Coordinates of all heavy atoms in Angstrom, one line a residue:
Chain A
G277 N -1.1 -3.8 39.5 CA -1.2 -5.2 39.9 C -1.7 -5.3 41.3 O -1.8 -4.3 42.0
H278 N -2.0 -6.5 41.7 CA -2.4 -6.8 43.1 C -3.6 -6.1 43.6 O -3.5 -5.2 44.4 CB -1.1 -6.5 44.0 CG -0.1 -7.5 43.9 ND1 0.2 -8.5 44.9 CD2 0.9 -7.8 42.9 CE1 1.2 -9.3 44.5 NE2 1.6 -8.9 43.3
F279 N -4.7 -6.4 42.9 CA -6.0 -5.9 43.4 C -6.3 -6.2 44.8 O -6.1 -7.3 45.3 CB -7.1 -6.5 42.4 CG -8.5 -6.1 42.8 CD1 -9.1 -5.1 42.1 CD2 -9.2 -6.8 43.8 CE1 -10.4 -4.7 42.4 CE2 -10.5 -6.5 44.1 CZ -11.1 -5.4 43.4
G280 N -7.0 -5.3 45.5 CA -7.5 -5.6 46.8 C -8.8 -4.8 47.0 O -8.9 -3.6 46.6
L281 N -9.8 -5.3 47.6 CA -11.1 -4.6 47.8 C -11.1 -3.9 49.1 O -10.7 -4.4 50.2 CB -12.3 -5.7 47.8 CG -13.7 -5.1 48.1 CD1 -14.1 -4.1 47.1 CD2 -14.6 -6.3 48.3
L282 N -11.5 -2.7 49.1 CA -11.7 -1.9 50.3 C -13.2 -1.4 50.3 O -13.5 -0.4 49.6 CB -10.7 -0.6 50.3 CG -10.9 0.4 51.5 CD1 -10.7 -0.3 52.8 CD2 -9.9 1.5 51.4
D283 N -14.0 -2.1 51.1 CA -15.4 -1.8 51.2 C -15.6 -0.9 52.3 O -15.5 -1.3 53.5 CB -16.2 -3.2 51.3 CG -17.7 -3.0 51.0 OD1 -18.2 -1.9 51.3 OD2 -18.3 -3.9 50.5
L284 N -16.1 0.3 52.0 CA -16.3 1.3 53.1 C -17.7 1.3 53.6 O -18.0 2.2 54.4 CB -15.9 2.7 52.5 CG -14.4 2.8 52.1 CD1 -14.1 4.2 51.5 CD2 -13.5 2.6 53.3
G285 N -18.6 0.4 53.1 CA -19.9 0.4 53.5 C -20.8 1.4 52.8 O -20.3 2.2 52.0
D286 N -22.1 1.4 53.0 CA -23.0 2.3 52.3 C -22.9 2.2 50.8 O -23.2 3.2 50.1 CB -22.8 3.8 52.8 CG -23.5 4.1 54.1 OD1 -24.4 3.2 54.5 OD2 -23.2 5.1 54.7
G287 N -22.5 1.1 50.3 CA -22.3 0.9 48.8 C -21.2 1.6 48.3 O -21.0 1.7 47.1
V288 N -20.3 2.1 49.1 CA -19.0 2.8 48.6 C -17.9 1.7 48.7 O -17.5 1.3 49.7 CB -18.7 4.0 49.5 CG1 -17.4 4.6 48.9 CG2 -19.8 5.0 49.5
Q289 N -17.4 1.4 47.5 CA -16.3 0.4 47.4 C -15.1 1.1 46.7 O -15.3 1.9 45.7 CB -16.8 -0.8 46.6 CG -17.8 -1.7 47.4 CD -18.0 -2.9 46.6 OE1 -18.1 -3.0 45.4 NE2 -18.3 -4.0 47.3
K290 N -14.0 0.7 47.2 CA -12.7 1.2 46.5 C -11.9 -0.1 46.2 O -12.2 -1.2 46.8 CB -12.0 2.1 47.5 CG -12.8 3.2 48.1 CD -12.7 4.5 47.3 CE -13.5 5.6 48.0 NZ -13.4 6.9 47.4
F291 N -10.9 0.1 45.4 CA -9.9 -1.0 45.3 C -8.5 -0.4 45.4 O -8.2 0.8 45.2 CB -10.1 -1.8 44.1 CG -9.6 -1.0 42.8 CD1 -8.3 -1.2 42.3 CD2 -10.5 -0.2 42.1 CE1 -7.9 -0.6 41.2 CE2 -10.1 0.5 41.0 CZ -8.8 0.4 40.5
S292 N -7.6 -1.2 46.0 CA -6.2 -0.9 46.0 C -5.5 -1.7 45.0 O -5.9 -2.7 44.6 CB -5.6 -1.1 47.4 OG -5.8 -2.5 47.7
C293 N -4.3 -1.1 44.5 CA -3.4 -1.8 43.7 C -2.1 -1.1 43.8 O -2.0 -0.1 44.6 CB -3.8 -1.8 42.2 SG -3.9 -0.1 41.5
H294 N -1.0 -1.6 43.2 CA 0.1 -0.8 43.1 C 0.4 -0.6 41.6 O 0.0 -1.4 40.7 CB 1.3 -1.5 43.8 CG 2.0 -2.6 43.1 ND1 1.7 -3.9 43.2 CD2 3.0 -2.5 42.1 CE1 2.5 -4.7 42.3 NE2 3.2 -3.9 41.7
Y295 N 1.1 0.4 41.3 CA 1.6 0.6 39.9 C 3.1 0.3 40.0 O 3.9 0.7 40.9 CB 1.5 2.1 39.5 CG 0.0 2.6 39.5 CD1 -0.4 3.7 40.2 CD2 -1.0 1.9 38.8 CE1 -1.7 4.1 40.3 CE2 -2.3 2.3 38.8 CZ -2.7 3.4 39.6 OH -3.9 3.8 39.7

Side-chain angles (χ1 to χ4, degrees):
Chain A
H278 287 255
F279 175 98
L281 173 66
L282 176 58
D283 193 329
L284 298 177
D286 277 344
V288 181
Q289 291 186 325
K290 312 265 181 178
F291 73 93
S292 59
C293 67
H294 80 265
Y295 303 121

